[in-house]
Amino acid sequence: MTESASESTEATQSDTVAVGIDIGGTGIKGAIVNVATGELLTDRKKLPTPEGGEPDAIVATTKELLTSLGDIPADASVGICFPAVVRHGRTMSAANVSKKWIGFEAEALFEKELGRDITFVNDADAAGYAEVTYGAAKGREGLIILTTLGTGIGTALIYNGVLIPNAELGHIQIDGGDYEPKAAYSAKEREDLSWKKWAKRLNTYYHELEALLSPDLFIVGGGVSKNYGDFFPLLELNTEIVVAELRNNAGIMGAARLSTTKSLRLE
C-alpha cells in the first residue's frame, strides 16, 4: 500500500470509528461504533456504576471499560453520555449520581484521565440523536421529541435535523407541580398502576407537550418501551407516536456519533 493510500485509510477510519460510552446510575456501558452505519464493532461491555457515583470513581470505571473494548484506533474519539444537563463540557445537574457532578468540569477530567478527545453530552440527547440518525425517526423532518420513560422522564428535541440540547421536559408543570413523579414508569411500579391508569397520566403529559410545542413525532424509549403494545393503544394523541428502535444501544451510538461530528446538526 502506498503512503497516500495508507493515509487515506487512516483518515476514513478516524472519521467512521469512535467509542460510545453511556454512564447511568446503575451501569456504565460502551462499545466501539461505526458511526457511518451505527453498527457496533464490538460486543457491548457493561460494568456497574461505583456506589456513590463520584467523579473519580466513575472515571476509573470508564477507563477500565475502555480497556476491555480491546484495540481502539489511537485517534478514535470518545463520546460519553451522562444523566445531567451538560453545557460546554460541564455537568450542571446530577441524576442518580453524586451531587459533586453539579458544576463539574467533566469533559476536561475525562480527557485528562483517558488521554483522548472526549465529547460529553446529556444521555437523552445522545439517544434522540441516534434515533434520528439510525433509528425510528431516520429521514423524518419537523419537530421530533424523544421521551425515555423510566425512573424519570428524559427528553430530546430535534428540529429539522438539529439537536436542541438539554431539554428537561420531563419536569413540565401540570396541575400545579412537576409531573414527572406521576407520569414516569417508576410511578406505575411504585403505585402498582394498571396500564390503563398509567396511560391516562401519559396522555395528560403528552397532551401538554402537544399544546406547548406542536410536535410532528413522539418517539418512546426507556425500559418500558419493550411493552409499548400494552399502553400505546390506550393513548389518544394528535401526534404520531412510535417506539424507539435502538433500545439500550441508543446512548452509545448517539454519543459516538456526536464525538465525530462535533455538531448538533445531523450530517
Side-chain angles (χ1 to χ4, degrees):
M1 181 180 294
T2 67
E3 183 178 353
S4 59
S6 175
E7 288 174 353
S8 175
T9 300
E10 289 176 2
T12 301
Q13 186 178 58
S14 174
D15 290 341
T16 61
V17 176
V19 178
I21 295 174
D22 185 349
I23 297 175
T26 59
I28 300 174
K29 51 187 182 286
I32 301 175
V33 180
N34 180 329
V35 297
T37 64
E39 177 189 5
L40 300 192
L41 300 177
T42 61
D43 290 337
R44 187 182 68 200
K45 303 289 187 179
K46 183 175 181 179
L47 295 173
T49 301
E51 188 173 351
E54 295 193 356
D56 287 345
I58 284 182
V59 170
T61 302
T62 302
K63 184 181 288 189
E64 182 182 350
L65 178 69
L66 204 62
T67 300
S68 75
L69 294 177
D71 188 17
I72 302 171
D75 58 352
S77 59
V78 177
I80 298 177
C81 64
F82 191 82
V85 169
V86 180
R87 296 186 63 195
H88 309 296
R90 176 180 289 186
T91 44
M92 306 306 294
S93 62
N96 302 311
V97 290
S98 169
K99 299 304 179 188
K100 291 182 179 180
W101 288 96
I102 299 175
F104 190 77
E105 293 285 359
E107 189 170 278
L109 176 65
F110 276 83
E111 285 189 333
K112 176 184 175 184
E113 295 299 322
L114 301 184
R116 288 181 178 269
D117 183 28
I118 304 293
T119 298
F120 216 80
V121 297
N122 171 268
D123 54 355
D125 284 345
Y129 196 84
E131 286 292 342
V132 177
T133 306
Y134 311 110
K138 185 176 180 179
R140 297 290 297 264
E141 294 187 350
L143 177 60
I144 297 167
I145 303 179
L146 170 91
T147 60
T148 57
L149 305 175
T151 303
I153 300 176
T155 58
L157 292 180
I158 297 176
Y159 180 67
N160 285 346
V162 179
L163 174 66
I164 303 165
N166 299 312
E168 292 289 326
L169 298 178
H171 299 291
I172 57 175
Q173 302 288 300
I174 302 176
D175 296 333
D178 183 345
Y179 206 65
E180 183 184 67
K182 294 183 179 181
Y185 180 58
S186 58
K188 182 187 185 305
E189 295 183 307
R190 183 177 62 252
E191 301 177 39
D192 195 24
L193 299 174
S194 66
W195 289 111
K196 184 176 181 179
K197 288 184 176 179
W198 183 56
K200 185 176 180 180
R201 296 186 184 185
L202 283 181
N203 228 41
T204 298
Y205 173 70
Y206 286 122
H207 278 167
E208 190 71 9
L209 292 183
E210 287 182 323
L212 293 171
L213 296 166
S214 300
D216 295 285
L217 178 68
F218 287 125
I219 306 173
V220 177
V224 73
S225 64
K226 64 180 179 291
N227 302 112
Y228 72 96
D230 292 315
F231 63 94
F232 269 27
L234 302 173
L235 299 174
E236 298 177 355
L237 305 174
N238 296 315
T239 304
E240 181 183 356
I241 187 166
V242 299
V243 68
E245 291 182 3
L246 305 178
R247 306 298 169 91
N248 287 331
N249 291 336
I252 292 171
M253 294 160 67
R257 174 79 175 195
L258 283 164
S259 78
T260 61
T261 64
K262 299 298 184 184
S263 170
L264 300 182
R265 181 181 293 277
L266 297 175
E267 297 182 352

